[in-house]
Amino acid sequence: AVQTAAMKVSLIQMNSVSDKQANLAQARALIEETVRDERPDWICLPEVWDFIGGNRATKMEAAEEIPGGPAYTLMQELAKTHRVFIHAGSILEKVPGDERIHNTTVAFDRDGKEVARYRKIHMFDITAPDGTAYRESAAFKPGDAVVTYDCEGVTVGCAICYDLRFPYLFSALVDKGAHLIALPSAFTMQTGKDHWEVLCRARAIETETYFCAAAQTGAHTAGNETRHTYGHSLVADPWGHVVAKASDGVGIVSARVDPKRVDKARQMIPVAQHRVKLAE
């Protein structure tokens, strides 16, 4: 059983670009607006909210050492000032002695204390329907740890964007006690329109958790091409209903997370207990 008090969550949908200062200013303004208008307990930002696009050199330049870089410090300060949990989407993290960087979630509690650090495990190395090639592994080094943290009685599981397509990660998060899964994302327009909502709902249904997916929206420039992200940040409940969803464009969407609903779904359909280890 989990805590019984409901918790208010807010997802921030951003249109980040390859200008770190502009992105930090946008994130600060949106978090301050969220705190003022929504008064949430927990805020989630999208994937790579601090810097998206550019080229390999500008990515490396924008990456920071954790703890202590400008994006990290800003989130820590805002969490502490506004007494709110901040699941800081993901930021670009320098890897000492490596040509690659990590795509890293950092989460802070109401005191601004770091409570989780998760490095994206699955690399987006695909060719989109229009022929655009994405090679995340060229610039990014994958993580390998399954990460959860406690948010006042609600266990939050960490995943990022492309991780969404790998159900075994979400099973592992449930095994570690997750009641809510956070998925900061920057889904492409093409894959997003066909797969985003159905995959988010599927993960919520199979894990019987709340699924909170904060996404990038709009256009950014990568090298000499313009790329478009899908947006549609959403919260799905443990039954798979989408209970909140962002409109197009930059903005905020909020929902109530009721831990009793997690318990109820798991009592009605106890999938975790019915799981069978298959013969090799």
Side-chain angles (χ1 to χ4, degrees):
V2 301
Q3 71 156 53
T4 49
M7 168 173 121
K8 188 170 185 185
V9 300
S10 291
L11 311 184
I12 292 180
Q13 183 159 287
M14 286 180 66
N15 182 11
S16 300
V17 291
S18 53
D19 177 340
K20 186 161 175 173
Q21 290 316 116
N23 296 333
L24 265 59
Q26 183 187 169
R28 177 191 282 277
L30 284 163
I31 286 173
E32 286 174 346
E33 181 186 336
T34 304
V35 168
R36 185 186 69 234
D37 296 347
E38 302 288 330
R39 307 184 70 79
D41 298 295
W42 183 88
I43 295 173
C44 186
L45 273 73
E47 183 184 25
V48 293
W49 63 268
D50 63 329
F51 190 94
I52 189 170
N55 57 37
R56 190 184 172 118
T58 55
K59 270 192 179 67
M60 294 296 284
E61 195 183 331
E64 58 188 66
E65 286 177 18
I66 292 178
Y72 181 101
T73 307
L74 174 66
M75 291 299 121
Q76 189 172 43
E77 171 207 315
L78 289 168
K80 188 176 181 180
T81 302
H82 298 297
R83 307 286 306 155
V84 64
F85 276 80
I86 295 182
H87 189 98
S90 75
I91 62 179
L92 307 185
E93 180 193 2
K94 278 189 166 61
V95 182
D98 202 302
E99 287 297 290
R100 295 168 300 168
I101 53 183
H102 283 307
N103 184 343
T104 304
T105 291
V106 191
F108 300 96
D109 70 11
R110 296 185 198 268
D111 296 318
K113 177 173 164 281
E114 182 186 324
V115 289
R117 197 181 299 184
Y118 166 72
R119 298 180 175 110
K120 186 176 182 178
I121 292 172
H122 299 97
M123 296 292 103
F124 189 59
D125 289 353
I126 70 119
T127 303
D130 67 353
T132 305
Y134 295 82
R135 292 286 172 267
E136 200 171 38
S137 63
F140 289 94
K141 180 178 182 175
D144 57 8
V146 178
V147 177
T148 61
Y149 65 93
D150 174 60
C151 179
E152 297 173 339
V154 172
T155 301
V156 179
C158 299
I160 298 172
C161 200
Y162 188 52
D163 286 334
L164 179 61
R165 295 181 183 272
F166 300 89
Y168 63 88
L169 173 59
F170 298 91
S171 298
L173 289 168
V174 172
D175 289 345
K176 288 191 77 167
H179 313 118
L180 180 157
I181 289 167
L183 186 93
S185 293
F187 247 63
T188 71
M189 180 63 76
Q190 288 190 305
T191 57
K193 66 185 174 54
D194 295 332
H195 297 163
W196 170 250
E197 185 171 315
V198 71
L199 283 171
C200 287
R201 292 184 65 197
R203 296 295 89 91
I205 292 165
E206 71 197 10
T207 58
E208 299 176 311
T209 61
Y210 278 91
F211 203 87
C212 297
Q216 290 280 357
T217 186
H220 64 272
T221 305
N224 52 10
E225 57 182 313
T226 301
R227 292 183 173 175
H228 296 270
T229 49
Y230 181 64
H232 296 84
S233 301
L234 63 83
V235 179
D237 75 5
W239 201 248
H241 293 300
V242 175
V243 292
K245 191 176 182 181
S247 298
D248 289 334
V250 172
I252 301 154
V253 63
S254 300
R256 306 286 299 181
V257 165
D258 182 357
K260 290 198 289 289
R261 281 185 175 271
V262 176
D263 282 347
K264 191 176 175 194
R266 291 175 180 181
Q267 281 158 11
M268 287 192 290
I269 308 180
V271 286
Q273 292 164 39
H274 294 161
R275 208 158 74 187
V276 175
K277 183 146 177 51
L278 300 174
E280 292 298 317

